[in-house]
Amino acid sequence: MKIRAVVRGVGHYLPERIVKNAEFEATLDTTDDWIRARTGIEQRHFAAEGETTSQLAIKAAQAALIDAGMTADQIDAIVVATSTPDLTFPSVATMVQAGLGSTNGFAYDIQAVCAGFVFALTNANGLIVSGQAERVLVIGAETFSRIMDWEDRGTCVLFGDGAGALILEAANGSGTNKDRGVLSTDLHSDGRYRELLYVDGGVSSNGKAGQLRMQGNAVFKHAVQKLAETAHTALGKIGMSGEDVNWIVPHQANLRIISATAERMQVPLERVVVTVQDHGNTSAASIPLALSVGKQRGQIKTGDIVVTEAIGGGLAWGAVVLRW
């Protein structure tokens, strides 16, 4: 017998404001066609003035609790992946805990930028497998619109705001790949590549929030190689390959990266959950958002083998294999 962390519910939330590509044409040297051709993005959501990351996270968490048929007081731990917290401290996770009306358990944030949800999911799995928690609420939530340079057409058209949540619960398994739940994880980071993707501000550097800076071509090359490798590694740990995968649910950075990674994994695009056209790149929120949308669409079903993979600033990257 082996303890597995099984998905019990998912949910997401998107801010009301929808920003189409054409909106950028008034202020930038760009067009709807240019953005679509280079990224696959058609629109994204931006948080309203005063709407915070924790507020998005709370609404996604509430949706996940409803989907799981659970109440907040049944949750032992809350792990939030975000790079855009409301405040330097306390954590967004504790704000979510308060917003849900929960006073038991513990809550904390994880920061691995766009790879944040994969790191948080791996961490939550560890909490359950080790017996530290029975039920863990894992959230990815971001308001990247707050750190955009609106004069940089290479970055500001890519990102959006949103939140996604997933609930894991301990369950007894056989210890084989037929078990439901998290089956394998694989994490990496390499700080030598800091300059490829970063924000030029921080508490101990200049006391400012800063703006996002990215070397797009270099990030693309690293992303395609590293995402395929980490997914293959995670699958290889349990004797699986791309042929065994029902769905890839990747970080929704842009369609070219998603397509190239799937090709390297020898998985057809028809078996990839794609939401980037509607949400843009929502950083740590993109995978749980896509999982929730994929379930709503009827794509992801109980028993499916799902691979999630992501890469973000650091660089940090990784993959999780689970049976839904």
Side-chain angles (χ1 to χ4, degrees):
M1 186 176 72
K2 184 182 176 83
I3 299 296
R4 294 292 194 186
V6 178
V7 177
R8 296 301 189 202
V10 287
H12 69 275
Y13 176 76
L14 291 159
E16 289 185 11
R17 183 186 172 196
I18 297 174
V19 179
K20 302 280 189 180
N21 291 341
E23 254 191 70
F24 291 102
E25 294 177 1
T27 57
L28 294 171
D29 179 19
T30 192
T31 64
D32 176 36
D33 289 342
W34 187 87
I35 297 170
R36 288 181 188 232
R38 292 181 65 86
T39 70
I41 298 169
E42 300 173 16
Q43 63 179 40
R44 74 286 294 145
H45 293 247
F46 284 164
E49 184 176 353
E51 190 173 29
T52 63
T53 296
S54 68
Q55 291 171 346
L56 305 187
I58 289 166
K59 290 176 180 177
Q62 290 168 334
L65 286 167
I66 291 170
D67 188 50
M70 293 181 184
T71 58
D73 58 6
Q74 292 178 277
I75 300 299
D76 301 309
I78 301 171
V79 183
V80 175
T82 187
S83 299
T84 51
D86 300 21
L87 303 169
T88 302
F89 67 84
S91 67
V92 171
T94 55
M95 296 179 187
V96 172
Q97 183 185 35
L100 295 176
S102 174
T103 57
N104 65 304
F106 53 96
Y108 59 93
D109 291 354
I110 283 181
Q111 205 269 51
V113 202
C114 297
F117 189 78
V118 168
F119 277 64
L121 192 59
T122 300
N123 200 267
N125 177 63
L127 292 174
I128 288 175
V129 170
S130 66
Q132 294 289 312
E134 185 177 350
R135 297 183 186 92
V136 183
L137 172 60
V138 193
I139 303 170
E142 302 282 17
T143 49
F144 259 53
S145 62
R146 309 290 195 236
I147 54 172
M148 289 295 101
D149 178 350
W150 298 111
E151 296 180 355
D152 180 6
R153 71 168 187 168
T155 58
C156 72
V157 301
L158 302 178
F159 293 89
D161 303 335
L166 178 147
I167 295 172
L168 292 176
E169 182 179 41
N172 290 327
S174 64
T176 71
N177 291 346
K178 296 186 181 299
D179 291 345
R180 289 183 63 200
V182 176
L183 301 177
S184 175
T185 65
D186 184 62
L187 300 179
H188 302 270
S189 61
D190 191 335
R192 294 175 298 171
Y193 298 111
R194 184 186 71 172
E195 297 299 320
L196 299 186
L197 178 56
Y198 68 101
V199 168
D200 60 2
V203 174
S204 68
S205 58
N206 58 16
K208 300 177 182 179
Q211 295 177 323
L212 185 146
R213 305 300 178 194
M214 181 173 70
Q215 297 179 32
N217 290 336
V219 171
F220 178 88
K221 292 175 183 176
H222 280 283
V224 173
Q225 176 189 353
K226 288 176 169 56
L227 290 175
E229 286 178 354
T230 188
H232 279 304
T233 299
L235 286 164
K237 288 180 180 181
I238 51 174
M240 286 187 169
S241 68
E243 294 180 357
D244 301 300
V245 176
N246 296 107
W247 293 101
I248 299 175
V249 184
H251 167 51
Q252 308 287 315
N254 71 58
L255 190 56
R256 291 191 303 147
I257 291 175
I258 292 170
S259 300
T261 303
E263 184 177 354
R264 284 201 176 203
M265 290 181 64
Q266 297 183 320
V267 174
L269 200 57
E270 292 74 26
R271 290 183 5 228
V272 180
V273 175
V274 180
T275 62
V276 69
Q277 70 278 2
D278 298 321
H279 307 151
N281 181 345
T282 55
S283 188
S286 78
I287 287 177
L289 257 170
L291 287 169
S292 181
V293 170
K295 182 182 178 183
Q296 281 188 350
R297 289 175 180 168
Q299 293 173 297
I300 303 173
K301 298 180 176 63
T302 301
D304 283 352
I305 291 293
V306 176
V307 175
T308 68
E309 30 87 346
I311 187 169
L315 293 171
W317 66 99
V320 174
V321 181
L322 59 88
R323 186 179 293 277
W324 198 259

